């Protein structure tokens, strides 16, 4: 588990540039076995956040706690061993070109003083785990981008970290490799009970693998929560980016058409409630349904027809339930 509490990071002014507050009072928790997505525009502090978790950057203030140990309280020596419990992968895979896949994965173990036989066994097992059993002796230049990222993942996992930080790990990959790397990250997080932070600028990546998501803007957390929670919250800045995009409302003759967001299995009960309470006719005339964080959400276009005051009552009902997103009333 990772807990960041009131993290602020200010880079001091230099001769050429003024001081920058890259992180401003950031607090967040990522549970073990969970993947937390971190999204936000360029320069919003995502990479700085990752570097503060493994203390490659020391926060100006605030505390970083990993699995109950407060890293920000450790002296430099203790920090070095604590960092081994935090693996990191990047957009550029940062493999050593002169070494084979196996030797790349062995490298961090070598630095940690692990003996040759144990190193080899561990690296072999990890490369098998990431699906590269037949590439042990291949050099990075002979591997595809996706395969190189697999080697980098195996290398990050070699010292048995508790935390995996991924900074734009799929941004240099084609869609098929992206999908398989994301599936691998998800699978390893579950199997090894890692706590994973996945930085990305792509919302589909968040939808595909994350349990929770944090939106940074100007170094501040402006939205955060479990995916299913965030998607269900009408005032959430992330909800609109998670849910299927709004469509142009179709014409439905004399009926009023409204677009609503509905959660798991509530479409039927919503429609029958409108029919029962307001005596209106309700027809689904468009929309899309998607699974977000294991919960099904729909953006549905409903055509509501009937006597004017009854239709008004039904539309007010939707507005009061914060379900209505846009409407065209006749
Ligand atoms: N070492 C540094 N010294 C000074 N300023 C820095 C340093 N590292 C980052 N910054 C500044 O901190 C802010 C946040 O940078 P950061 O790299 O964390 O953003 P990001 O969200 O990862 O952006 P991107 O999506 O482009 O990767 C930026 O304004 C950046 O210029
Ligand atoms: Mg970055």
């Amino acid at each position: 588990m990772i807990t960041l509490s009131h993290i602020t990071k200010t880079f001091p002014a230099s001769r050429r540039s003024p001081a920058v507050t890259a992180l401003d009072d950031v607090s967040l928790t990522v549970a073990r076995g969970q993947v937390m997505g971190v999204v936000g525009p360029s320069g919003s502090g995502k990479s700085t956040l990752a570097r503060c978790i493994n203390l490659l950057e020391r926060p100006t203030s605030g505390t970083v706690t990993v699995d109950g140990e407060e890293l920000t309280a450790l002296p430099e020596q203790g920090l070095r061993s604590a960092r081994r419990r935090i693996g990191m992968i990047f957009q550029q895979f940062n493999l050593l070109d002169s070494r084979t896949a196996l030797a790349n994965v062995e490298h961090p173990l070598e630095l940690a003083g692990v003996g040759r036989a144990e190193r080899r066994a561990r690296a072999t097992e990890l490369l098998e785990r990431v699906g590269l059993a037949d590439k042990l002796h291949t050099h990075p230049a002979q591997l595809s981008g996706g395969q190189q990222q697999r080697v980098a993942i195996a290398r990050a996992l070699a010292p048995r970290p508790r935390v995996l930080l991924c900074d734009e790990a799929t941004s240099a990959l084609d869609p098929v490799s992206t999908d398989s790397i994301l599936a691998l990250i998800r699978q390893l997080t579950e199997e090894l009970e890692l706590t994973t932070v996945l930085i990305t600028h792509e919302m589909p990546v968040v939808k595909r693998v994350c349990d929770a998501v944090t939106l940074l803007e100007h170094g501040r957390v402006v939205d955060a929560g479990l995916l299913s929670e965030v998607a269900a919250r009408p005032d959430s800045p992330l909800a609109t980016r998670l849910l299927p995009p709004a469509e142009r409302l179709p014409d439905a003759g004399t009926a009023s058409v409204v677009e609503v967001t509905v959660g798991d299995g509530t479409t039927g009960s919503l429609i029958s409630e409108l029919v029962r309470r307001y005596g209106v006719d309700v027809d689904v005339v468009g929309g899309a349904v998607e699974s977000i964080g294991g919960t099904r959400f729909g953006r549905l276009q409903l055509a509501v027809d009937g006597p004017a005051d009854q239709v008004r009552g039904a539309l007010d009902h939707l507005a009061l339930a914060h379900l209505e997103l846009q409407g065209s009333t006749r």
Side-chain angles (χ1 to χ4, degrees):
M1 173 155 143
I2 302 172
T3 307
L4 303 187
S5 180
H6 303 289
I7 294 290
T8 294
K9 176 67 190 181
T10 304
F11 292 106
S14 67
R15 250 180 307 140
R16 268 173 299 158
S17 52
V20 177
T21 298
L23 296 173
D24 185 1
D25 198 25
V26 170
S27 294
L28 61 89
T29 300
V30 193
R32 180 176 296 182
Q34 237 186 30
V35 182
M36 162 75 84
V38 176
V39 295
S42 183
S44 59
K46 304 181 296 296
S47 293
T48 306
L49 181 77
R51 295 168 63 79
C52 279
I53 293 175
N54 61 13
L55 263 75
L56 284 176
E57 297 285 1
R58 228 175 223 291
T60 310
S61 61
T63 59
V64 177
T65 308
V66 172
D67 282 349
E69 183 171 33
E70 194 197 316
L71 302 191
T72 29
L74 293 175
E76 205 49 42
Q77 185 60 36
L79 200 53
R80 226 166 290 152
S81 69
R83 274 204 198 104
R84 260 182 237 132
R85 274 170 277 138
I86 303 176
M88 190 156 180
I89 57 170
F90 307 89
Q91 177 172 356
Q92 306 309 335
F93 322 113
N94 298 348
L95 298 174
L96 299 170
D97 292 331
S98 60
R99 289 180 162 230
T100 62
L102 193 63
N104 265 286
V105 179
E106 280 188 49
H107 191 228
L109 300 174
E110 235 171 277
L111 297 177
V114 176
R116 192 185 151 84
E118 189 184 337
R119 254 173 22 219
R120 180 115 323 173
R122 172 92 183 127
T124 305
E125 179 221 313
L126 278 165
L127 284 167
E128 284 167 359
R129 200 186 249 280
V130 301
L132 293 178
D134 57 339
K135 303 285 183 199
L136 300 185
H137 305 292
T138 308
H139 283 80
Q142 270 79 54
L143 296 171
S144 72
Q147 288 169 337
Q148 290 187 54
Q149 192 61 290
R150 284 169 188 269
V151 175
I153 290 172
R155 180 181 58 182
L157 296 177
R160 301 183 194 277
R162 306 303 310 140
V163 167
L164 182 62
L165 306 175
C166 315
D167 193 351
E168 303 279 5
T170 57
S171 301
L173 302 178
D174 62 80
V176 174
S177 304
T178 293
D179 273 0
S180 71
I181 290 293
L182 292 176
L184 180 64
I185 291 172
R186 175 86 234 171
Q187 182 194 341
L188 292 168
T189 300
E190 286 171 15
E191 286 176 4
L192 305 175
E193 292 191 313
L194 300 171
T195 305
T196 299
V197 174
L198 195 138
I199 293 169
T200 178
H201 59 271
E202 293 168 292
M203 235 29 212
V205 168
V206 171
K207 263 198 258 191
R208 181 132 163 57
V209 282
C210 296
D211 302 286
V213 59
T214 295
L215 171 63
L216 286 182
E217 272 173 22
H218 305 294
R220 283 190 216 106
V221 174
V222 295
D223 199 3
L226 292 173
L227 250 57
S228 53
E229 265 169 33
V230 165
R233 205 162 4 94
D235 61 346
S236 158
L238 282 168
T240 45
R241 301 186 218 185
L242 284 168
L243 292 164
E247 294 166 50
R248 220 168 66 88
L249 293 176
D251 190 76
T254 59
S256 295
V257 181
V258 286
E259 189 170 77
V260 298
T261 308
V262 289
D264 228 1
T266 57
T267 315
S269 58
L270 175 70
I271 291 174
S272 60
E273 187 172 9
L274 293 179
V275 172
R276 197 178 57 243
R277 282 176 68 162
Y278 303 98
V280 288
D281 290 327
V282 182
D283 196 10
V284 179
V285 291
V289 178
E290 257 190 57
S291 177
I292 299 166
T295 302
R296 269 156 35 99
F297 285 90
R299 243 180 229 264
L300 298 178
Q301 297 172 342
L302 304 179
V304 184
D305 208 355
D309 57 334
Q310 284 160 244
V311 170
R312 191 65 258 158
L315 297 184
D316 286 348
H317 176 97
L318 292 173
L320 279 173
H322 297 292
L323 289 166
E324 184 181 334
L325 296 174
Q326 55 166 329
S328 73
T329 311
R330 280 168 195 271

